[in-house]
Structure formats: C-alpha cells, structure tokens
Amino acid sequence: MARRDIFAIGASAGGIAALRRLASKLPSDFPGSILIVLHISPESNGLLPQILANSGPLPAKNAAHNEPVLPGQIYVAPPNQHLLVSASGAIQISHGPKENRFRPAIDPLFRSVALAYTHRAAGIILSGALDDGTSGLCAIKRQGGLSIVQDPGEAEVPSMPQSALRHVGADYCLPIDGIAGLLPRLAREAQAPTETQDPAHMPDDIMREVEIAADETSSISLQHLTEPSRFTCPECSGSLFNVQDSAVSRFRCHTGHAFTLSSLEAELRGSIEQTSWAAIRVLQEHAMLLTEAAALPETTAESKSMFIDKAESALRKARLIRTTLLEA
C-alpha cells in the first residue's frame, strides 16, 4: 500500500491568489511534497516562495538542481526555468525549450512527476488561461496518478480548469478550500495502487518529452511524432510536427518548442498584432519622409504633388490597418 504524497500544481493567471489560499489552509504537519509551476515573467524576482511561506505554515523555496524532494516542503519553479523531477526523485532545473509559450511550463513538471512517482502523484490544475497542464495531467492519469481540478466556477480565470475537465476529467473537482482539505487526507491514507505500467518500462513518448524539457538531448528525434504539420514554430521558425496525444492537439518543432492548438493560435494572434503595428509604423514613417521631401526647396512642383499623393496613400493604408486591429 502506498500514499498519494507528491502533489504537482500548475497555475497561471489568477493563480497567485489561489496558491496563497491553498498554502494558508494546509496543516503544519502536512506529510506530502508540493511542487509548483506558476506562469511568470522571465524577469520576475522569484518572490512566490516568500509569499507562500508568509501565507501558511509550510516552508517554501525556489527549487534547486539535484536537491531531494522532501515531505512538508513547497518547491516552486524559479523564473525562466523548467521544474522537473528525475527518475530517482531529485529535482531538476532546466533551461529547456519553452512549452505553450512559457518557461517554466506546467506540462513538463507533470510528465516528469508521472514518470518518477506513478500512482503516488497527483496533478492539480488551478486558475489560468488557455490549456497548459492538460497534456501533463493526462500523463499523470496514464501512470495511475490522480487528477485534481479547481472548480472553474471559483477560478479567477477558468480556462485551464475547463480544459483539464474537458480533455482529461477529474478525480476531484473542488474549490480551493476543498482541495486544501483533500491533500492531507490523500497524503496520510494508504492507497491501493492502481494498475500502472511497469516502472522499468515507462512510456517512450512521455520519457522523450521529459528529456526534451530537461535539455538532455542534443538533437530532437521526431520519430514519436506523426506527419509534419503545415505550420512553423513561432519561436524559431522551424517546422512543427503533430504530436500524438490522447488529451489535446499539440505540435513540437525540431528544437523542442511545443504548443497546444490553443497556445499556437494565441501566439500567432500576437504575431499578427505585432506585425500589423510594425506595418503602421513603417507606413507613417514613409508618409513623414515623403512630406519632408515635398517641403524641400529643390523639389519641383510636379514632384511635390507626387510626394504628397504618396504620403496621403501611405496614411490611408496605416489608418485601414489600425481600424482593422481595433475591430478585431
């Protein structure tokens, strides 16, 4: 008999409030280990552990490479680093490829926990946008672990919980206070392990993606993927391949960047806006240059008229793009 004592938590927008509430409700003698990925800026000062330690009785820290995972401790992914767990149960910190536009990303942590702890693990999805964590939660379920999802009705941003419920399902769907009450019980009660794959023969697809996140491979083999997609990677412009995933449609490129369909669409939408504003800037600068050329003393009347017409045309195009952006 084994306990469910390894809890991997993923959160994004609205997640700090949820994590603070959860930390405040856990008991001081909590016997489990908590590993957290929160989507944060690479320039973040990494103060989440201090916030969580001040919110409740458990110590919290930014995770360090090769340290052991101990009970009664909260480990937080440092800014701009993936948080993983090795097969031996030691923490790994990696600057591997971004997934779903983030580093740290939730899915790599969940996959590594699924491999290292199988039925001892539980994946927890809290408030956040889009669908990071859905694929990793599926990996935890495949290995006999539990899926726990914050009630979307309570989540400040419900997209991540909704995606997890839609694509994976939940063993428990609870508000934060309910999750806080559940975790100590799971960590203390002996559980009959569910049927899982032999730990000595872990799924190749999950292992390969953990290796990519850990940056343990110099060349990405795409043999575990299906056919190439028609899309290119927004991060490096490499070809994107479809990923075989029972949870959600995903893509990965040769260098390792990975996207769900939703995160790829969001990235492309952002690129469209960025490119459009760049086009507006160039058109406006062109109009200013033409206007200055028209005002030069040596400019002939014929050239002046031509420059003014071209400047007005450039400004019309800029206004059209701006209008289209504002209507989107």
Side-chain angles (χ1 to χ4, degrees):
M1 304 288 279
R3 296 179 299 156
R4 309 259 191 196
D5 56 353
I6 304 296
F7 302 101
I9 301 178
S12 186
I16 292 180
L19 288 167
R20 289 184 64 184
R21 179 76 178 179
L22 180 61
S24 73
K25 294 294 182 177
L26 292 174
S28 58
D29 61 347
F30 180 68
S33 304
I34 296 176
L35 301 106
I36 295 175
V37 166
L38 174 71
H39 290 166
I40 53 177
S41 165
E43 291 77 32
S44 170
N45 51 17
L47 292 180
L48 180 60
Q50 180 179 329
I51 293 171
L52 297 181
N54 291 339
S55 300
L58 297 182
K61 61 184 299 187
N62 282 310
H65 193 63
N66 283 335
E67 71 175 315
V69 176
L70 301 176
Q73 176 74 53
I74 298 175
Y75 301 91
V76 177
N80 206 29
Q81 301 287 330
H82 289 311
L83 170 59
L84 309 167
V85 181
S86 70
S88 64
I91 284 175
Q92 288 183 294
I93 301 300
S94 160
H95 198 73
K98 291 181 181 179
E99 184 153 350
N100 296 323
R101 307 184 298 153
F102 284 99
R103 187 196 306 111
I106 300 165
D107 284 324
L109 170 63
F110 280 17
R111 293 189 196 107
S112 71
V113 163
L115 291 182
Y117 295 104
T118 62
H119 55 268
R120 288 178 58 190
I124 304 169
I125 296 290
L126 303 182
S127 175
L130 299 180
D131 53 6
D132 190 23
T134 294
S135 175
L137 191 63
C138 180
I140 288 176
K141 289 287 290 182
R142 282 174 59 188
Q143 294 299 102
L146 290 180
S147 61
I148 302 171
V149 179
Q150 183 183 8
D151 182 352
E154 180 197 62
E156 183 177 333
V157 181
S159 300
M160 277 180 19
Q162 288 170 342
S163 175
L165 291 173
R166 182 168 60 253
H167 294 289
V168 183
D171 295 297
Y172 300 92
C173 181
L174 299 166
I176 291 295
D177 287 2
I179 295 174
L182 172 67
L183 300 193
R185 189 169 78 248
L186 291 175
R188 290 191 176 99
E189 293 177 357
Q191 306 284 332
T194 57
E195 183 177 349
T196 64
Q197 300 189 33
D198 183 349
H201 298 88
M202 293 300 183
D204 287 341
D205 59 330
I206 301 178
M207 288 184 64
R208 189 61 173 162
E209 293 204 87
V210 171
E211 290 173 355
I212 292 170
D215 209 18
E216 291 180 345
T217 177
S218 58
S219 60
I220 306 301
S221 170
L222 302 179
Q223 293 179 351
H224 68 292
L225 309 181
T226 56
E227 73 282 354
S229 74
R230 295 174 293 173
F231 310 112
T232 55
C233 175
E235 293 280 348
C236 66
S237 299
S239 297
L240 286 173
F241 280 68
N242 294 299
V243 178
Q244 294 176 337
D245 195 320
S246 59
V248 62
S249 296
R250 293 194 298 124
F251 307 89
R252 194 178 282 278
C253 73
H254 290 276
T255 57
H257 301 115
F259 302 86
T260 63
L261 187 64
S262 296
S263 64
L264 180 60
E265 188 276 331
E267 185 72 14
L268 292 176
R269 183 163 18 96
S271 296
I272 290 170
E273 179 168 350
Q274 182 178 9
T275 302
S276 297
W277 285 114
I280 292 171
R281 174 187 59 77
V282 172
L283 286 166
Q284 290 178 337
E285 287 182 359
H286 190 205
M288 288 188 290
L289 180 64
L290 290 166
T291 301
E292 289 187 13
L296 293 174
E298 62 269 26
T299 301
T300 64
E302 181 179 359
S303 295
K304 180 177 181 178
S305 177
M306 179 187 66
F307 289 154
I308 291 174
D309 288 345
K310 287 184 176 181
E312 291 176 350
S313 175
L315 290 175
R316 282 195 300 271
K317 293 174 183 177
R319 285 193 294 269
L320 178 61
I321 297 173
R322 185 185 292 270
T323 300
T324 303
L325 276 175
L326 295 177
E327 291 176 351

